[in-house]
Amino acid sequence: MRGFFLLLIGIFFGVVLIKSEAASWFRIYEMFMFKSFHMFGIIGSAVGIGIIAVQLIKRLKLKSFYGAEITIDNKEKGLTRYLVGGSLFGLGWALAGACPGPMFALFGAGFWQILIVLVSATFGTYLYGVLKDKLPH
Amino acid sequence: MNEIMKMIMEPWPWYISGPSIALVMFLLLMMGKRFGMSSNLRTLCTICGAGKRTSFFQYDWKAQKWNLVVVLGVVIGAFIATNFLSDDLTVSINPDVTQELISLGFEDASEAYLPAKFYSLAALGNVATWVILIIAGILVGFGTRYAGGCTSGHAISGLSALQLPSLIAVIGFFIGGLLMVHFIFPILF
């Protein structure tokens, strides 16, 4: 049953990614040109409501649907890894026009060429794993 | 009813899309899980046997199976949205940007969902397309793990939980994206 709900949440997210056009290369380009409010509206309203949702969970000590405590861990402190890793990610995001979620969505939408990007992204993650101990974090 | 169906078939405005993404994050938290798509790339590495040689991939990937289920849903949802919930997949962007893209050789700007210059069978006849897509993919996959998350994990989940590291990562996303679009694109195209 849990698996089924997770699948449904994923299906809804996949629909949203395509219908919102957040998986469109053109929208990402337009965002980085600061020529449209669309993407900023999506991310901004998601974060705005997300902040309220997280605060509600924390302050009301909401339990999960299965009665377990919801813990939201703090991200590890640091600067280099977030700034350098983030910038490398941004370079790829703007070039491919897709971040990981949309990559999977575009595959489902039938844009088969995205598989090249998806396989390369998996390889990129592998490269990070190999080089991890040699990188500044 | 027809009105609602008509609205669903059209592109969704930001004020529907953004709150919907927040809902996805909230539901995943309430399921006792986390909203983060790029972790699946690491899981895929582990499934492919990357753990044999690299400790970073030595973990019980079965504990992450739930996230692969979410991603399977994303693939199915995108299929449904494309084939049954859209009259037309054209993405209309800003007219100035459209003109600019056309002059850069992206002739289907505002006439397609993805540019045929990268994402078409014909484009794959060109070695440059392969190089661009492979480099872009590697940058995303490497960068996201180095930074510890992508748009879902940092921009949405992290910022929603008021995490400073996520803010730094998102600033990084924009540094990279702006560099690409404003400085590297003029060299490439």
Side-chain angles (χ1 to χ4, degrees):
Chain A
M1 210 53 196
R2 276 188 202 216
F4 180 68
F5 286 136
L6 289 165
L7 188 71
L8 282 186
I9 295 170
I11 289 174
F12 178 63
F13 185 44
V15 170
V16 172
L17 283 175
I18 293 297
K19 296 301 300 182
S20 67
E21 301 179 336
S24 167
W25 185 95
F26 294 113
R27 282 293 188 193
I28 304 304
Y29 181 83
E30 185 191 45
M31 170 180 77
F32 285 126
M33 296 303 283
F34 295 109
K35 287 286 174 65
S36 166
F37 181 71
H38 186 75
M39 287 304 301
F40 296 100
I42 293 177
I43 299 173
S45 61
V47 171
I49 295 172
I51 290 173
I52 298 170
V54 170
Q55 288 302 317
L56 281 178
I57 288 174
K58 282 189 173 167
R59 292 184 189 201
L60 302 178
K61 298 196 170 59
L62 289 188
K63 294 266 194 292
S64 78
F65 293 135
Y66 301 97
E69 208 162 306
I70 299 177
T71 48
I72 300 170
D73 301 328
N74 286 328
K75 308 259 183 208
E76 245 174 82
K77 287 205 168 57
L79 182 67
T80 313
R81 66 174 299 189
Y82 297 115
L83 211 51
V84 178
S87 299
L88 293 172
F89 174 86
L91 285 166
W93 186 18
L95 188 55
C99 45
M103 284 179 196
F104 290 102
L106 289 170
F107 174 67
F111 295 102
W112 312 114
Q113 297 81 9
I114 200 73
L115 269 181
I116 301 170
V117 183
L118 199 49
V119 170
S120 308
T122 308
F123 178 69
T125 295
Y126 175 70
L127 270 184
Y128 169 74
V130 173
L131 298 174
K132 184 175 178 282
D133 298 332
K134 298 193 178 84
L135 295 168
H137 277 78
Chain B
M1 197 58 204
N2 271 339
E3 281 298 300
I4 295 174
M5 206 51 214
K6 223 180 113 196
M7 277 170 66
I8 291 177
M9 299 295 280
E10 282 169 9
W12 293 3
W14 64 265
Y15 51 84
I16 300 289
S17 310
S20 299
I21 293 173
L23 178 66
V24 169
M25 183 198 72
F26 177 73
L27 287 175
L28 285 174
L29 283 172
M30 291 302 286
M31 290 294 293
K33 308 296 183 194
R34 297 275 163 286
F35 182 38
M37 288 294 120
S38 65
S39 312
N40 291 300
L41 300 174
R42 185 183 178 193
T43 310
L44 288 177
C45 287
T46 302
I47 292 175
C48 291
K52 278 178 210 141
R53 293 168 64 184
T54 314
S55 62
F56 182 65
F57 300 105
Q58 281 164 12
Y59 65 101
D60 179 21
W61 67 269
K62 289 196 174 99
Q64 289 295 314
K65 225 162 60 176
W66 67 269
N67 213 346
L68 293 178
V69 173
V70 175
V71 147
L72 176 66
V74 170
V75 173
I76 298 170
F79 177 84
I80 295 171
T82 310
N83 293 289
F84 305 108
L85 299 177
S86 304
D87 288 325
D88 173 8
L89 277 177
T90 300
V91 176
S92 297
I93 55 169
N94 176 298
D96 297 342
V97 180
T98 304
Q99 283 313 313
E100 193 187 304
L101 278 171
I102 290 172
S103 71
L104 290 177
F106 294 86
E107 281 143 22
D108 50 359
S110 285
E111 285 176 10
Y113 199 90
L114 294 183
K117 197 178 170 69
F118 292 164
Y119 298 101
S120 65
L121 208 53
L124 295 188
N126 190 344
V127 181
T129 310
W130 284 83
V131 174
I132 284 174
L133 294 181
I134 289 172
I135 290 178
I138 291 176
L139 283 167
V140 168
F142 185 91
T144 191
R145 214 57 283 125
Y146 195 178
C150 62
T151 327
S152 49
H154 275 312
I156 309 289
S157 302
L159 291 186
S160 291
L162 306 174
Q163 296 295 306
L164 182 63
S166 294
L167 182 62
I168 302 171
V170 173
I171 291 170
F173 296 171
F174 272 84
I175 293 174
L178 293 174
L179 272 177
M180 178 56 71
V181 162
H182 293 272
F183 295 99
I184 304 179
F185 271 32
I187 300 169
L188 291 177
F189 309 109

